[in-house]
Each structure stands twice: as structure tokens, then as C-alpha cells.
Coordinates of all heavy atoms in Angstrom, one line a residue:
M16 N 0.8 -1.1 0.0 CA 0.0 0.0 0.0 C 0.9 1.2 0.0 O 1.9 1.3 0.6 CB -1.0 0.0 1.2 CG -2.1 -1.1 1.2 SD -3.2 -1.0 2.6 CE -2.2 -1.8 3.8
K17 N 0.4 2.3 -0.6 CA 1.2 3.4 -0.8 C 1.0 4.3 0.6 O -0.1 4.5 1.2 CB 0.6 4.3 -2.0 CG 0.9 3.6 -3.3 CD 0.5 4.3 -4.5 CE 0.8 3.5 -5.6 NZ 0.1 4.1 -6.8
V18 N 2.2 4.8 1.1 CA 2.3 5.5 2.4 C 1.4 6.8 2.3 O 0.5 7.1 3.2 CB 3.6 5.9 2.6 CG1 3.7 6.8 3.8 CG2 4.5 4.6 2.9
E19 N 1.3 7.5 1.2 CA 0.4 8.7 1.1 C -0.9 8.4 1.1 O -1.6 9.2 1.8 CB 0.9 9.4 -0.2 CG 0.6 8.9 -1.5 CD 1.7 8.0 -2.1 OE1 2.7 7.9 -1.4 OE2 1.5 7.5 -3.3
L20 N -1.4 7.3 0.6 CA -2.8 6.8 0.7 C -3.2 6.6 2.3 O -4.3 6.9 2.7 CB -3.2 5.8 -0.2 CG -3.0 6.0 -1.6 CD1 -3.4 4.7 -2.4 CD2 -4.0 7.1 -2.1
I21 N -2.2 5.8 2.9 CA -2.5 5.5 4.3 C -2.6 6.7 5.2 O -3.4 6.8 6.0 CB -1.3 4.5 4.7 CG1 -1.4 3.3 4.1 CG2 -1.4 4.4 6.3 CD1 -0.2 2.4 4.4
E22 N -1.7 7.8 4.9 CA -1.7 9.0 5.7 C -3.0 9.8 5.4 O -3.6 10.3 6.4 CB -0.4 9.8 5.4 CG 0.8 9.2 5.9 CD 2.0 9.9 5.4 OE1 2.0 10.8 4.4 OE2 3.1 9.6 5.8
K23 N -3.4 9.8 4.2 CA -4.6 10.6 3.9 C -5.8 9.9 4.5 O -6.8 10.6 5.1 CB -4.9 10.8 2.5 CG -4.0 11.7 1.8 CD -4.3 11.7 0.2 CE -3.3 12.7 -0.5 NZ -3.4 12.7 -1.9
A24 N -6.0 8.6 4.4 CA -7.1 7.8 5.0 C -7.0 7.9 6.5 O -8.1 8.0 7.1 CB -7.1 6.4 4.4
A25 N -5.8 7.9 7.1 CA -5.9 8.0 8.5 C -6.3 9.2 9.2 O -6.9 9.3 10.2 CB -4.3 7.6 8.9
Q26 N -6.1 10.4 8.3 CA -6.7 11.6 8.7 C -8.1 11.6 8.7 O -8.7 12.2 9.6 CB -6.1 12.8 7.9 CG -4.7 13.1 8.1 CD -4.1 14.1 7.1 OE1 -4.8 14.6 6.2 NE2 -2.8 14.4 7.4
I27 N -8.7 10.9 7.7 CA -10.1 10.8 7.6 C -10.8 9.9 8.7 O -11.7 10.4 9.4 CB -10.6 10.4 6.3 CG1 -10.1 11.4 5.2 CG2 -12.1 10.1 6.1 CD1 -10.2 10.9 3.7
V28 N -10.3 8.9 9.0 CA -10.9 7.8 9.8 C -10.5 8.4 11.4 O -11.4 8.3 12.1 CB -10.3 6.6 9.6 CG1 -10.7 5.5 10.7 CG2 -10.7 6.0 8.3
G29 N -9.2 8.8 11.5 CA -8.9 9.3 12.8 C -8.4 8.3 13.8 O -7.9 8.7 14.9
D30 N -8.6 7.0 13.5 CA -8.1 6.0 14.5 C -7.4 4.8 13.7 O -8.0 4.3 12.8 CB -9.4 5.4 15.3 CG -9.0 4.3 16.2 OD1 -7.8 3.8 16.3 OD2 -10.0 3.8 16.9
N31 N -6.2 4.7 13.9 CA -5.5 3.7 13.1 C -6.0 2.3 13.1 O -6.0 1.5 12.2 CB -4.0 3.7 13.5 CG -3.3 5.0 13.0 OD1 -3.8 5.7 12.1 ND2 -2.1 5.4 13.5
Q32 N -6.3 1.8 14.3 CA -6.9 0.5 14.6 C -8.2 0.3 13.7 O -8.4 -0.6 13.0 CB -7.3 0.3 16.0 CG -7.8 -1.1 16.3 CD -6.7 -2.2 16.3 OE1 -5.6 -1.9 16.6 NE2 -7.0 -3.3 15.9
L33 N -9.0 1.4 13.6 CA -10.3 1.4 12.9 C -10.0 1.3 11.5 O -10.7 0.7 10.8 CB -11.1 2.6 13.3 CG -12.4 2.8 12.6 CD1 -13.4 1.5 12.9 CD2 -13.1 3.9 13.1
L34 N -9.0 2.1 11.0 CA -8.5 2.1 9.6 C -8.2 0.8 9.2 O -8.6 0.3 8.1 CB -7.5 3.2 9.4 CG -6.9 3.2 8.0 CD1 -8.0 3.6 7.0 CD2 -5.7 4.2 7.9
V35 N -7.4 0.1 10.1 CA -6.9 -1.3 9.8 C -8.2 -2.2 9.5 O -8.2 -3.0 8.5 CB -6.0 -1.9 10.7 CG1 -5.7 -3.4 10.6 CG2 -4.7 -1.1 10.7
N36 N -9.1 -2.1 10.4 CA -10.3 -3.0 10.3 C -11.2 -2.7 9.0 O -11.6 -3.6 8.3 CB -11.2 -2.9 11.6 CG -10.4 -3.5 12.8 OD1 -9.8 -4.4 12.6 ND2 -10.8 -2.9 13.8
I37 N -11.2 -1.5 8.7 CA -12.0 -1.0 7.6 C -11.5 -1.6 6.3 O -12.1 -2.1 5.3 CB -12.3 0.6 7.6 CG1 -13.2 1.0 8.6 CG2 -12.8 1.0 6.2 CD1 -13.3 2.4 8.9
V38 N -10.0 -1.3 6.1 CA -9.3 -1.6 5.0 C -9.3 -3.2 4.8 O -9.5 -3.7 3.6 CB -8.0 -1.1 4.9 CG1 -7.1 -1.6 3.9 CG2 -8.0 0.4 4.8
S39 N -9.1 -3.9 5.9 CA -9.1 -5.3 5.9 C -10.4 -6.0 5.4 O -10.5 -6.8 4.6 CB -8.5 -5.9 7.1 OG -9.5 -5.8 8.1
K40 N -11.5 -5.4 5.9 CA -12.7 -5.9 5.5 C -13.1 -5.6 4.1 O -13.6 -6.4 3.4 CB -13.9 -5.3 6.4 CG -13.9 -6.0 7.8 CD -15.0 -5.5 8.7 CE -14.8 -6.0 10.0 NZ -16.1 -6.8 10.4
R41 N -12.8 -4.4 3.7 CA -13.0 -4.0 2.2 C -12.1 -4.8 1.2 O -12.5 -5.3 0.2 CB -12.7 -2.6 2.0 CG -13.1 -2.1 0.6 CD -14.5 -2.2 0.2 NE -14.8 -1.9 -1.1 CZ -15.6 -2.4 -2.0 NH1 -16.2 -3.5 -1.7 NH2 -15.7 -1.9 -3.2
V42 N -10.7 -5.0 1.7 CA -9.9 -5.9 0.9 C -10.4 -7.3 0.7 O -10.4 -7.9 -0.3 CB -8.5 -5.9 1.4 CG1 -7.7 -6.9 0.9 CG2 -7.8 -4.6 1.2
Q43 N -11.0 -7.8 1.8 CA -11.7 -9.2 1.7 C -12.8 -9.1 0.7 O -12.8 -10.1 0.0 CB -12.1 -9.6 3.1 CG -12.7 -10.9 3.2 CD -13.3 -11.1 4.7 OE1 -13.6 -10.2 5.3 NE2 -13.3 -12.5 4.9
Q44 N -13.7 -8.1 0.8 CA -14.6 -8.1 -0.2 C -14.2 -8.0 -1.7 O -14.6 -8.7 -2.5 CB -15.5 -6.8 0.0 CG -16.5 -6.8 1.1 CD -17.3 -5.5 1.1 OE1 -16.9 -4.5 0.7 NE2 -18.5 -5.7 1.6
L45 N -13.1 -7.2 -2.0 CA -12.6 -6.9 -3.2 C -11.9 -8.4 -3.7 O -12.1 -8.8 -4.8 CB -11.6 -6.0 -3.3 CG -12.1 -4.4 -3.1 CD1 -11.0 -3.6 -2.7 CD2 -12.9 -4.0 -4.3
N46 N -11.3 -9.1 -2.9 CA -10.6 -10.3 -3.2 C -11.7 -11.4 -3.4 O -11.4 -12.4 -4.1 CB -9.8 -10.8 -2.0 CG -8.4 -10.1 -1.9 OD1 -7.9 -9.6 -3.0 ND2 -7.9 -9.9 -0.8
H47 N -12.9 -11.2 -2.9 CA -14.0 -12.1 -3.1 C -14.8 -11.8 -4.3 O -16.0 -12.3 -4.5 CB -14.8 -12.4 -1.9 CG -14.1 -13.3 -0.9 ND1 -13.5 -12.8 0.2 CD2 -14.0 -14.6 -0.9 CE1 -13.0 -13.7 0.8 NE2 -13.3 -14.9 0.2
G48 N -14.4 -10.8 -5.1 CA -15.1 -10.5 -6.4 C -16.0 -9.2 -6.4 O -16.5 -8.9 -7.4
S49 N -15.9 -8.4 -5.3 CA -16.8 -7.1 -5.3 C -16.1 -6.1 -6.2 O -14.8 -6.1 -6.4 CB -16.7 -6.5 -3.9 OG -17.7 -7.2 -3.0
D50 N -16.9 -5.4 -6.9 CA -16.5 -4.4 -7.8 C -16.0 -3.2 -7.0 O -16.6 -2.7 -6.0 CB -17.5 -3.9 -8.8 CG -17.8 -4.9 -9.8 OD1 -16.9 -5.8 -10.1 OD2 -19.1 -5.1 -10.1
P51 N -14.9 -2.6 -7.4 CA -14.5 -1.2 -6.8 C -15.4 -0.1 -7.0 O -16.1 -0.1 -8.1 CB -13.1 -0.9 -7.3 CG -12.7 -2.1 -8.3 CD -14.0 -2.9 -8.4
Y52 N -15.4 0.8 -6.1 CA -16.4 1.9 -6.3 C -15.6 3.1 -6.8 O -16.2 4.3 -6.9 CB -17.0 2.4 -4.9 CG -17.9 1.3 -4.3 CD1 -17.5 0.6 -3.3 CD2 -19.0 1.1 -5.0 CE1 -18.4 -0.3 -2.7 CE2 -19.8 0.1 -4.5 CZ -19.6 -0.6 -3.3 OH -20.4 -1.5 -2.8
I53 N -14.4 3.0 -7.3 CA -13.6 4.0 -8.0 C -13.1 3.5 -9.2 O -13.1 2.3 -9.5 CB -12.4 4.4 -7.0 CG1 -11.5 3.2 -6.7 CG2 -13.0 5.1 -5.7 CD1 -10.3 3.6 -6.1
V54 N -12.5 4.3 -10.0 CA -11.8 4.0 -11.3 C -10.5 3.5 -10.9 O -9.8 4.2 -10.1 CB -11.8 5.2 -12.4 CG1 -10.9 4.7 -13.5 CG2 -13.1 5.6 -12.7
T55 N -10.1 2.3 -11.3 CA -8.8 1.8 -10.9 C -7.7 1.7 -12.0 O -8.2 1.7 -13.2 CB -8.9 0.4 -10.3 OG1 -9.5 -0.5 -11.2 CG2 -9.8 0.4 -9.1
T56 N -6.6 1.5 -11.7 CA -5.5 1.3 -12.8 C -5.0 -0.2 -12.4 O -5.0 -0.7 -11.4 CB -4.4 2.4 -12.6 OG1 -3.8 2.3 -11.3 CG2 -4.9 3.7 -12.9
P57 N -4.3 -0.7 -13.4 CA -3.8 -2.1 -13.3 C -2.8 -2.3 -12.0 O -2.8 -3.4 -11.4 CB -3.2 -2.4 -14.5 CG -3.9 -1.6 -15.5 CD -4.2 -0.3 -14.8
E58 N -2.0 -1.2 -11.8 CA -1.1 -1.3 -10.8 C -1.6 -1.2 -9.3 O -0.9 -1.4 -8.4 CB 0.1 -0.4 -11.0 CG -0.3 1.1 -11.0 CD -0.8 1.7 -12.2 OE1 -0.7 1.0 -13.3 OE2 -1.0 2.8 -12.2
M59 N -2.9 -0.9 -9.2 CA -3.4 -0.6 -7.9 C -3.8 -2.0 -7.3 O -4.4 -2.9 -8.0 CB -4.8 0.2 -8.0 CG -4.6 1.5 -8.4 SD -6.1 2.5 -8.4 CE -6.5 2.8 -6.6
Q60 N -3.3 -2.2 -6.1 CA -3.5 -3.3 -5.3 C -4.9 -3.2 -4.4 O -5.3 -2.0 -4.3 CB -2.5 -3.8 -4.3 CG -1.2 -4.0 -5.0 CD 0.0 -4.3 -4.2 OE1 -0.1 -4.3 -2.9 NE2 1.0 -4.5 -4.7
C61 N -5.4 -4.1 -3.9 CA -6.7 -4.0 -3.2 C -6.7 -3.0 -2.0 O -7.6 -2.3 -1.8 CB -7.2 -5.5 -2.6 SG -7.7 -6.5 -4.0
G62 N -5.5 -3.1 -1.3 CA -5.4 -2.1 -0.3 C -5.4 -0.7 -0.7 O -6.0 0.2 -0.2
D63 N -4.7 -0.3 -1.9 CA -4.7 0.8 -2.5 C -6.2 1.3 -2.9 O -6.6 2.5 -2.7 CB -3.9 1.0 -3.7 CG -2.5 0.8 -3.3 OD1 -2.1 1.1 -2.2 OD2 -1.6 0.3 -4.2
I64 N -6.9 0.4 -3.4 CA -8.3 0.6 -3.8 C -9.2 0.9 -2.6 O -9.8 2.0 -2.6 CB -8.9 -0.6 -4.6 CG1 -8.2 -0.8 -5.9 CG2 -10.4 -0.4 -4.8 CD1 -8.4 -2.2 -6.6
A65 N -9.0 0.1 -1.5 CA -9.8 0.5 -0.3 C -9.5 1.8 0.2 O -10.4 2.5 0.7 CB -9.5 -0.7 0.7
L66 N -8.2 2.2 0.3 CA -7.8 3.4 0.9 C -8.3 4.6 0.1 O -8.8 5.5 0.7 CB -6.2 3.4 1.0 CG -5.6 2.5 2.1 CD1 -4.1 2.4 1.8 CD2 -6.0 3.0 3.5
T67 N -8.3 4.5 -1.2 CA -8.8 5.5 -2.1 C -10.3 5.7 -2.1 O -10.8 6.7 -2.0 CB -8.3 5.2 -3.6 OG1 -6.9 5.1 -3.6 CG2 -8.8 6.2 -4.5
E68 N -11.0 4.6 -1.8 CA -12.4 4.5 -1.5 C -12.7 5.4 -0.4 O -13.7 6.2 -0.3 CB -13.1 3.2 -1.6 CG -13.0 2.5 -2.7 CD -13.5 1.0 -2.8 OE1 -13.4 0.4 -1.6 OE2 -13.9 0.6 -3.8
I69 N -11.9 5.2 0.7 CA -12.2 5.9 2.0 C -11.8 7.4 1.7 O -12.7 8.2 2.1 CB -11.2 5.4 3.1 CG1 -11.6 4.0 3.5 CG2 -11.2 6.3 4.3 CD1 -10.6 3.3 4.4
I70 N -10.7 7.6 1.0 CA -10.4 9.1 0.8 C -11.4 9.8 -0.1 O -11.8 11.0 0.2 CB -8.9 9.2 0.0 CG1 -7.9 8.7 1.0 CG2 -8.8 10.6 -0.5 CD1 -6.7 8.3 0.3
E71 N -12.0 9.1 -0.9 CA -13.0 9.7 -1.8 C -14.5 9.7 -1.3 O -15.4 10.1 -2.0 CB -12.9 9.1 -3.3 CG -11.7 9.3 -4.1 CD -11.7 8.9 -5.4 OE1 -12.8 8.4 -6.0 OE2 -10.7 8.9 -6.1
G72 N -14.5 9.2 -0.1 CA -15.9 9.1 0.5 C -16.8 8.1 0.1 O -18.0 8.2 0.3
K73 N -16.3 7.1 -0.6 CA -17.2 6.1 -1.2 C -17.5 4.9 -0.1 O -18.3 4.1 -0.4 CB -16.4 5.3 -2.3 CG -16.1 6.3 -3.5 CD -17.4 6.7 -4.1 CE -17.1 7.6 -5.3 NZ -18.4 8.0 -6.0
I74 N -16.8 4.9 1.1 CA -17.0 4.0 2.2 C -17.3 4.8 3.4 O -16.6 5.8 3.8 CB -15.8 3.2 2.4 CG1 -15.4 2.2 1.2 CG2 -16.0 2.3 3.6 CD1 -14.2 1.3 1.3
T75 N -18.4 4.4 4.0 CA -18.7 5.0 5.3 C -18.8 4.0 6.4 O -18.8 2.7 6.1 CB -20.0 5.8 5.3 OG1 -21.1 4.9 5.0 CG2 -20.0 6.9 4.3
W76 N -18.8 4.3 7.7 CA -18.8 3.4 8.8 C -19.3 4.0 9.9 O -19.5 5.3 10.1 CB -17.4 2.8 9.1 CG -16.4 3.9 9.5 CD1 -16.2 4.4 10.7 CD2 -15.7 4.8 8.6 NE1 -15.3 5.5 10.7 CE2 -15.0 5.8 9.5 CE3 -15.6 4.9 7.3 CZ2 -14.2 6.8 8.9 CZ3 -14.7 6.0 6.8 CH2 -14.1 6.9 7.6
H77 N -19.7 3.1 10.8 CA -20.3 3.5 12.1 C -19.9 2.3 13.1 O -19.9 1.2 12.8 CB -21.7 3.9 12.1 CG -22.6 2.7 12.2 ND1 -22.9 1.9 11.0 CD2 -23.3 2.2 13.3 CE1 -23.7 1.1 11.4 NE2 -24.0 1.2 12.7
E78 N -19.8 2.8 14.4 CA -19.6 1.8 15.4 C -21.0 1.3 15.8 O -22.0 2.0 15.9 CB -18.9 2.4 16.7 CG -17.5 2.8 16.3 CD -16.7 3.1 17.5 OE1 -16.9 2.6 18.6 OE2 -15.9 4.1 17.4
M79 N -21.0 0.0 16.0 CA -22.4 -0.6 16.3 C -22.8 -0.3 17.7 O -21.9 -0.2 18.6 CB -22.2 -2.2 16.1 CG -21.9 -2.6 14.7 SD -21.8 -4.4 14.6 CE -23.5 -4.9 14.6
T80 N -24.1 -0.1 17.9 CA -24.7 0.0 19.2 C -24.9 -1.3 19.9 O -24.6 -2.3 19.4 CB -26.1 0.7 19.1 OG1 -27.0 -0.2 18.4 CG2 -26.1 2.0 18.4
E81 N -25.1 -1.2 21.2 CA -25.3 -2.5 21.9 C -26.5 -3.4 21.3 O -26.3 -4.5 21.3 CB -25.6 -2.1 23.4 CG -24.5 -1.5 24.2 CD -23.3 -2.4 24.3 OE1 -23.5 -3.6 24.4 OE2 -22.2 -1.9 24.2
E82 N -27.6 -2.7 20.9 CA -28.7 -3.4 20.3 C -28.1 -4.1 19.0 O -28.5 -5.2 18.6 CB -29.8 -2.6 19.9 CG -30.6 -2.0 21.2 CD -29.8 -0.7 21.9 OE1 -28.9 -0.1 21.1 OE2 -29.9 -0.4 23.0
E83 N -27.4 -3.5 18.2 CA -26.9 -3.9 16.9 C -25.9 -5.1 17.2 O -26.0 -6.2 16.4 CB -26.2 -2.9 16.1 CG -27.2 -1.8 15.5 CD -26.4 -0.7 14.9 OE1 -25.4 -0.3 15.4 OE2 -26.9 -0.2 13.9
L84 N -25.1 -5.0 18.3 CA -24.2 -6.0 18.6 C -25.0 -7.3 19.1 O -24.6 -8.5 18.7 CB -23.3 -5.6 19.7 CG -22.2 -4.6 19.3 CD1 -21.4 -4.2 20.5 CD2 -21.1 -5.3 18.3
A85 N -26.0 -7.1 19.9 CA -26.8 -8.2 20.3 C -27.3 -8.9 19.1 O -27.4 -10.1 19.0 CB -27.9 -7.7 21.3
A86 N -27.9 -8.1 18.2 CA -28.6 -8.7 17.0 C -27.6 -9.4 16.2 O -27.9 -10.6 15.6 CB -29.2 -7.7 16.2
A87 N -26.3 -9.0 16.0 CA -25.3 -9.6 15.2 C -24.8 -10.9 15.8 O -24.5 -11.8 15.1 CB -24.2 -8.6 15.1
K88 N -24.9 -11.0 17.2 CA -24.5 -12.2 17.8 C -25.5 -13.4 17.5 O -25.1 -14.6 17.5 CB -24.3 -12.0 19.3 CG -23.2 -11.2 19.7 CD -23.1 -11.0 21.2 CE -21.9 -10.2 21.6 NZ -21.8 -9.9 22.9
G89 N -26.7 -13.1 17.2 CA -27.6 -14.1 16.7 C -27.4 -14.8 15.3 O -28.0 -15.8 15.0
E90 N -26.5 -14.1 14.6 CA -26.2 -14.6 13.3 C -25.0 -15.6 13.4 O -24.3 -15.7 14.4 CB -25.8 -13.5 12.2 CG -26.9 -12.6 12.0 CD -26.6 -11.5 11.1 OE1 -25.4 -11.5 10.6 OE2 -27.4 -10.6 11.0
D91 N -24.7 -16.4 12.3 CA -23.7 -17.4 12.4 C -22.3 -16.8 12.6 O -21.6 -17.3 13.4 CB -23.5 -18.2 11.0 CG -24.9 -19.0 10.9 OD1 -25.5 -19.4 11.8 OD2 -25.2 -19.3 9.6
T92 N -21.9 -15.7 12.0 CA -20.6 -15.1 12.0 C -20.8 -13.7 11.8 O -21.8 -13.2 11.2 CB -19.6 -15.7 10.9 OG1 -20.0 -15.3 9.8 CG2 -19.4 -17.1 11.1
A93 N -19.8 -12.8 12.3 CA -19.8 -11.4 12.1 C -19.7 -11.1 10.5 O -20.1 -10.2 10.1 CB -18.7 -10.7 12.9
A94 N -18.8 -12.0 9.9 CA -18.7 -11.8 8.4 C -20.0 -11.9 7.7 O -20.3 -11.2 6.8 CB -17.7 -12.9 7.9
S95 N -20.9 -12.7 8.1 CA -22.1 -12.8 7.3 C -22.9 -11.5 7.6 O -23.6 -11.1 6.6 CB -23.0 -14.1 7.9 OG -23.5 -13.9 9.2
S96 N -22.9 -10.9 8.7 CA -23.4 -9.7 8.9 C -22.9 -8.6 8.0 O -23.6 -7.9 7.4 CB -23.4 -9.3 10.3 OG -23.9 -7.8 10.6
F97 N -21.5 -8.7 7.8 CA -21.0 -7.7 7.0 C -21.2 -8.0 5.5 O -21.5 -7.1 4.8 CB -19.4 -7.7 7.2 CG -18.5 -6.9 6.3 CD1 -18.6 -5.5 6.6 CD2 -17.9 -7.4 5.3 CE1 -17.9 -4.7 5.8 CE2 -17.2 -6.5 4.4 CZ -17.2 -5.2 4.6
D98 N -21.3 -9.2 5.2 CA -21.7 -9.5 3.7 C -23.1 -9.0 3.4 O -23.4 -8.6 2.3 CB -21.6 -11.1 3.6 CG -20.2 -11.6 3.5 OD1 -19.2 -10.8 3.3 OD2 -20.0 -12.9 3.8
K99 N -24.1 -9.1 4.4 CA -25.3 -8.6 4.2 C -25.3 -7.1 3.9 O -26.0 -6.6 3.1 CB -26.4 -8.9 5.3 CG -26.6 -10.4 5.4 CD -27.6 -10.7 6.6 CE -27.8 -12.1 6.6 NZ -28.7 -12.4 7.9
V100 N -24.5 -6.4 4.7 CA -24.4 -4.9 4.4 C -23.8 -4.6 3.0 O -24.3 -3.8 2.3 CB -23.5 -4.3 5.6 CG1 -23.1 -2.9 5.2 CG2 -24.2 -4.4 6.9
A101 N -22.8 -5.4 2.7 CA -22.1 -5.2 1.3 C -23.1 -5.5 0.4 O -23.1 -4.8 -0.7 CB -20.9 -6.3 1.3
D102 N -23.9 -6.6 0.4 CA -24.9 -6.9 -0.6 C -25.9 -5.9 -0.8 O -26.3 -5.5 -2.0 CB -25.5 -8.3 -0.3 CG -24.7 -9.5 -0.4 OD1 -23.6 -9.4 -1.0 OD2 -25.1 -10.5 0.2
A103 N -26.4 -5.3 0.3 CA -27.3 -4.2 0.1 C -26.7 -3.0 -0.4 O -27.3 -2.2 -1.1 CB -27.8 -3.9 1.6
A104 N -25.4 -2.7 -0.1 CA -24.8 -1.6 -0.7 C -24.4 -1.7 -2.2 O -24.0 -0.9 -2.8 CB -23.5 -1.4 0.0
A105 N -24.5 -3.0 -2.7 CA -24.1 -3.1 -4.0 C -24.9 -2.3 -5.0 O -24.5 -2.0 -6.3 CB -24.4 -4.7 -4.4
E106 N -26.2 -1.9 -4.7 CA -26.9 -1.1 -5.6 C -26.7 0.4 -5.4 O -27.2 1.2 -6.2 CB -28.4 -1.4 -5.2 CG -28.8 -2.8 -5.4 CD -30.3 -3.0 -5.0 OE1 -31.0 -2.0 -4.9 OE2 -30.6 -4.2 -5.0
V107 N -25.8 0.8 -4.6 CA -25.5 2.3 -4.4 C -24.0 2.4 -4.7 O -23.2 1.4 -4.8 CB -25.9 2.8 -3.1 CG1 -27.5 2.8 -2.9 CG2 -25.2 2.1 -1.9
D108 N -23.6 3.7 -4.7 CA -22.1 4.0 -5.0 C -21.2 4.1 -3.8 O -20.1 4.4 -3.9 CB -22.0 5.1 -5.9 CG -22.5 6.4 -5.3 OD1 -23.0 6.4 -4.2 OD2 -22.1 7.5 -5.8
T109 N -21.8 3.8 -2.6 CA -21.0 3.8 -1.4 C -21.3 2.5 -0.5 O -22.4 1.8 -0.8 CB -21.3 5.1 -0.5 OG1 -22.7 5.0 -0.1 CG2 -21.0 6.3 -1.2
I110 N -20.5 2.2 0.2 CA -20.7 1.0 1.1 C -20.5 1.5 2.6 O -19.6 2.4 2.9 CB -19.7 -0.1 0.9 CG1 -20.0 -1.3 1.8 CG2 -18.3 0.3 1.0 CD1 -19.3 -2.6 1.3
K111 N -21.3 1.0 3.4 CA -21.3 1.3 4.9 C -20.7 0.1 5.7 O -21.2 -0.9 5.5 CB -22.7 1.6 5.4 CG -22.7 2.1 6.9 CD -24.1 2.5 7.3 CE -24.1 3.1 8.6 NZ -25.5 3.5 8.9
I112 N -19.7 0.3 6.4 CA -19.1 -0.7 7.1 C -19.4 -0.6 8.6 O -19.1 0.3 9.2 CB -17.6 -0.9 6.9 CG1 -17.3 -1.0 5.4 CG2 -16.9 -1.9 7.8 CD1 -15.8 -1.0 5.1
S113 N -19.9 -1.7 9.2 CA -20.3 -1.6 10.6 C -19.2 -2.4 11.3 O -19.0 -3.6 11.0 CB -21.7 -2.3 10.9 OG -22.7 -1.5 10.3
L114 N -18.6 -1.8 12.3 CA -17.6 -2.5 13.1 C -18.0 -2.6 14.5 O -18.8 -1.9 15.2 CB -16.2 -1.7 13.1 CG -15.8 -1.5 11.6 CD1 -14.6 -0.6 11.7 CD2 -15.3 -2.9 11.2

């Protein structure tokens, strides 16, 4: 990943741990066939794409409330909850990531 992208995205997110989680979840999506929300070039890796999506405002996130956490625990895995959000976001030009 390019350092300048990491620095810009870190300023937007404000918490490095949160940035790592957002990027890793988005990279996982991209590796499983999700389309990027930005125009990419052949030399861009999935991490660069995820960081650029954050910088361009194509990815939003929020911390889950206690009620949302309780509801998520009723599902098989946290990943399945994330996949449902990703599937719902496929029809719009941004994705919302719940952590």
C-alpha cells in the first residue's frame, strides 16, 4: 500500500486501529469479487483501492450500538452480517461498514 494513501485515509478515519479494520474488511470483499467503487488502474492493489475509496468518501462506517451487537450475535458469524451490508450496498455507489 502506498504511504501517502495511508496517511490521507488515517486523517479521515482518525483511529489507526479502525482504519486497519475497515481496509481489511474491504480488501476481503474485493478479493471475493466485489467491484471497486472507484476507477482503478492495473497497478493498484486491493489495499490501495480500499484506501482510495475511503479518501473519496465511497466508504462510510459506524460503530455498532449495543442493540446492533446483540442482533449480530444471533447470526452465524460477524462476516455474514458484513456480507449482508455489502450486498445491500451493491446497488449504491458507497458502502457502509459496521464495526
Side-chain angles (χ1 to χ4, degrees):
M16 288 185 278
K17 296 180 179 165
V18 175
E19 62 271 6
L20 294 177
I21 295 170
E22 291 172 351
K23 287 179 184 178
Q26 289 177 352
I27 293 167
V28 174
D30 178 358
N31 289 341
Q32 182 77 29
L33 181 59
L34 177 62
V35 168
N36 289 330
I37 294 168
V38 170
S39 66
K40 287 181 185 238
R41 184 61 179 139
V42 165
Q43 182 181 29
Q44 282 185 334
L45 293 166
N46 284 332
H47 285 102
S49 292
D50 291 329
Y52 294 114
I53 60 168
V54 176
T55 62
T56 59
E58 64 271 358
M59 289 179 82
Q60 298 177 0
C61 290
D63 296 330
I64 294 169
L66 290 166
T67 304
E68 289 174 338
I69 292 168
I70 293 165
E71 292 186 9
K73 300 294 183 178
I74 296 177
T75 61
W76 60 93
H77 79 281
E78 292 187 40
M79 295 177 78
T80 64
E81 292 297 323
E82 294 82 21
E83 291 170 324
L84 285 171
K88 288 180 183 178
E90 297 182 3
D91 292 338
T92 64
S95 65
S96 175
F97 180 72
D98 290 339
K99 289 179 183 180
V100 172
D102 291 341
E106 297 179 15
V107 297
D108 67 347
T109 63
I110 181 169
K111 183 175 185 177
I112 297 178
S113 299
L114 300 171

